Amino acid sequence: MPTIKQRRREPAERAEAPSTPTDSKPAQRRSTLRRALTPWAFLAPALVLFAYFKFYPIGYGIWLSFFDVAVFGENTWIGLDNFTAVFQDTFLQQAFWNTAVYVVLAVGFSALIGFMLALALEGQAYHIRIVRTAVFLPAVVTVAVVAEVFRILYHPTASGPLNSLLGLIGVGPLGFIDDPGMSLHSVIGMHIWKSAPYDMVIFIAGLAGVDRTLYESARVDGASWLQRVRYVTIPQIRFAFTIVITLGIIRGVRVFPEVYTLTGGGPARSSEVIMTYVYRVSFVDFDLGYAAALSTLLFLLTAVLTAAFLFLRREKA
Amino acid sequence: MKAQTGPRPTSSQRHRTLTTSCTAVLILSLVAACGGDDGGGDSQDGGGNPADAEATDEPLQVWVRQAEDGGLPTYQEMADLYEEETGQAIELYGEVTGFEESLIRAASAGNLPDAIIYDTEGLGQLVDWGMVQEIDPDVLENRDEILDLAWTAAQGVDGSYYAVPTSTQAFNLYIRSDWRDNLGLDDPQTWDDVVEIARAFTHDDPDENGEDDTTGYVVPGSSQRGYASWFWITLLWQAGGDYFEPQDDGTFVPTLDTPEAREAMQWLHDMVFDHQVVQPGTANHVTADSHPYFQSGESGLYHTGPYMIAGFDDEPGQDVYDVIEPVTGPAGNDTLAEGEQLYVMTGTDKADQALAFAEWVASPEGQEAGMNPGGYSVVRLPINENVSAGEVYDHPYWDVVAETFAESGRYVTPVPNFGPFRQIVADTVNIVISDPDADIDLLMDDLNEQVAAELDAQGVLAE
């Protein structure tokens, strides 16, 4: 199979054929150069904006992590001090474990529920499309609005909407975001509600590509519904799982608005995750150098986790 | 929407449009890149005579910690009035919760405004950052008209002045008078009275609607921005405690492990868990989440600031609530006083114009404009001795606030930078009001150590 480069070269090679030997070389060189530069010229505006608004701030953030940053004035080079301070920071350790719990539960349950929804709502029938659109709505609602709704749902008295329902089965009233023992899980609950539909869409796209004859063969072989899901569907949409979990890890590790808008990391830091802690270090403690170091480490953590997951997937495949 | 009509653009027209767009984007990027460094003018010491300051063609940039739905329109009216009188235009920018973040962003981009009107408590932080200029109060013609107590909040721990007072206020207890009367109760005088009334408001159906839908006492208990400690400090003072005790040599001894401090913390803990009279969800509530409990008739006692009077007059209504003197705790009835002041920022070339504006805001005319009777007041209590709150507002509650400020108002103890202490203490208060089994002795010992460490970091821990 020709590579992209080879394919791109083909028309140019064809165009050369009628040229005379005398003028062919400079003209060919100009033509090749122009062809090489054209895509970059089109990309240039976006690249300039990306460089200025993304790559430069990222690089500058990493650079700042080696300084004691003065909010106003000269920064002081302190080498790796900001990074070594991480190991003595008990608040960060708590935030780290909270984040780990968050990622595992939020990503796991979102994927599971998303997958189940996808199985239930796969198909082109009109009524399924309506239900699917309704189910997908949480994914497009802004987090701040969702958080306000969940604040009401989670109201920690017997008259709160969720507590009223739980009261019917003799449970509660629960504190939800007001209870340090439940606040993190309550935020995770909101995250799952919002993420599962998003995952569902990716799974549905994956399911659409599964060869129907495999199901028929499995059925002929006497496979039950569960066995068909286990031995046909899941292996066939491995790619969708990889995408959902990779994106989930990236989103989960750097989760911020869900926690900040619902609990602000409280009460008693019980729902503090790494990003809300970075925010606190930056804009409450104003220790910008340390916050930059934490952000750098978070960036590395995300990259390593994602790479490790993709590597494991590939090994398994 | 009306659909766009007309011929479709030709290929060459599209090409030109694309080229123009790309060029515009590139230019905008470059302009943005160049524009970041234009604010680093020479520092002025703010020592000129503001009376001599001539209006500049460029507007004076002033940032205020107010929002569009709060005091920003009042500041805009003041700015317009000032421009009318002096010819000096003022360009205002207002923000509330993200104010400090925006200030830091502006500082790192070299684009600080010329002046800010900001909390008295933030003085140490701003001085520590080097963001504000020292000023000479004597250059103000109305220096002596400004209350001495207000001037003390404009001083850093080094004794120098870094701001011009513009407003002050004290915190009072706000009570649902109709509930009180329905239950045949009197205004609370002591902590015990507060407990008794809060219990009655919670359990005795004060609004007489036959439902168990009220609570007694509002507490903004979130640790965000230090709200929890900002509320608790009044209780601490009333119990006879403080965060630290100043020594003669300018150092401080941390005092949050004292019996007084423990008692204040225990009292708040009991209000939440033993008496169960505090609004549900308090541990996550900032003030914006707390006000509605009083306004909507879900809670009946609230220790808060007079900036809420206009809002409370609308809802729940002036006829159903009273503003009363702060209650007396084991050691007294001190209550938090704080204010706002105008800071002249480092690097501005309009220091004289900024001071001239400050002088006007501190004048009777500026103060009355800022008090904005009937609207949102950005000058709560006047800092000019020639202005009477009672006369300007013509509202009985403001008289109570003015009396409270004079008799019981207390600013936080000045340290190099108060901000970190507010946050450290708020974190502990937040733990105490969210954990029914909180070990208060242990927490207070730990808190005291944290305060000592911060004092040490600021170089003022007593040996």
Side-chain angles (χ1 to χ4, degrees), chain A residues 42 45 48-49 52 71-72 151 155-157 177-178 180 260 262-264 266-269 279-280 282-286 288, chain B residues 18 22 25-26 29 32-33 100-101 104 107 112 125 129-131 223-224 280-281 283-284 289 293 346 423 427 430-431 434:
Chain A
F42 277 102
V48 168
L49 292 175
Y52 185 64
V71 168
F72 190 68
R151 259 172 185 262
H155 195 66
T157 63
I177 56 172
D178 200 35
Y260 187 74
L262 199 56
T263 66
R269 293 182 188 254
Y279 176 84
R280 174 193 277 260
S282 307
F283 296 115
V284 177
D285 302 340
F286 302 110
L288 301 181
Chain B
L18 183 67
C22 294
V25 167
L26 279 169
S29 304
E100 293 84 357
E101 294 167 43
I104 288 175
L112 279 174
Q125 181 86 78
W129 286 339
M131 260 190 212
S223 62
Q224 279 187 55
N284 285 318
D289 304 313
Y293 278 87
T346 307
Q423 189 58 47
D427 284 338
N430 185 249
I431 292 172
S434 41

Side-chain angles (χ1 to χ4, degrees), chain B residues 3-201:
Chain B
Q4 195 180 351
T5 55
R8 286 165 63 86
T10 63
S11 165
S12 65
Q13 279 171 329
R14 281 202 301 271
H15 179 73
R16 272 202 303 276
T17 310
L18 183 67
T19 310
T20 315
S21 306
C22 294
T23 312
V25 167
L26 279 169
I27 290 171
L28 279 174
S29 304
L30 290 171
V31 168
C34 298
D37 294 319
D38 65 357
D42 290 336
S43 172
Q44 304 275 317
D45 64 7
N49 186 348
D52 300 334
E54 289 182 9
T56 60
D57 292 338
E58 288 179 11
L60 184 72
Q61 291 190 335
V62 181
W63 286 16
V64 295
R65 210 170 77 77
Q66 289 292 345
E68 193 58 49
D69 59 353
L72 193 56
T74 307
Y75 272 122
Q76 191 57 57
E77 285 171 23
M78 293 168 74
D80 293 344
L81 191 59
Y82 183 69
E83 184 179 0
E84 213 172 274
E85 289 184 10
T86 64
Q88 174 66 59
I90 308 270
E91 189 179 297
L92 282 176
Y93 171 74
E95 196 174 345
V96 182
T97 46
F99 187 87
E100 293 84 357
E101 294 167 43
S102 297
L103 205 57
I104 288 175
R105 284 195 202 102
S108 45
N111 270 331
L112 279 174
D114 300 307
I116 60 172
I117 297 179
Y118 187 60
D119 308 349
T120 48
E121 257 185 48
L123 183 140
Q125 181 86 78
L126 293 170
V127 173
D128 185 46
W129 286 339
M131 260 190 212
V132 294
Q133 299 187 19
E134 184 183 337
I135 62 139
D136 176 7
D138 288 332
V139 303
L140 302 173
E141 283 182 359
N142 53 6
R143 179 217 164 119
D144 295 335
E145 294 174 19
I146 297 174
L147 301 174
D148 290 340
L149 189 57
W151 272 121
T152 61
Q155 278 180 293
V157 278
D158 61 356
S160 305
Y161 292 89
Y162 292 95
V164 179
T166 58
S167 166
T168 191
Q169 63 182 324
F171 286 68
N172 283 80
L173 198 57
Y174 292 64
I175 183 170
R176 279 297 292 260
S177 50
D178 54 336
W179 294 10
R180 178 197 60 201
D181 298 341
N182 286 346
L183 298 174
L185 299 164
D186 293 322
D187 282 337
Q189 307 288 330
T190 65
W191 279 12
D192 289 342
D193 294 345
V194 171
V195 173
E196 187 193 335
I197 293 174
R199 287 181 69 95
F201 280 1

Side-chain angles (χ1 to χ4, degrees), chain A residues 94-129:
Chain A
Q94 186 187 344
F96 179 86
W97 287 118
N98 285 348
T99 309
V101 171
Y102 195 102
V103 170
V104 170
L105 294 183
V107 175
F109 279 97
S110 294
L112 182 67
I113 295 170
F115 180 58
M116 291 186 338
L117 284 172
L119 289 178
L121 299 175
E122 187 197 9
Q124 289 305 315
Y126 191 65
H127 68 280
I128 288 185
R129 277 200 256 170

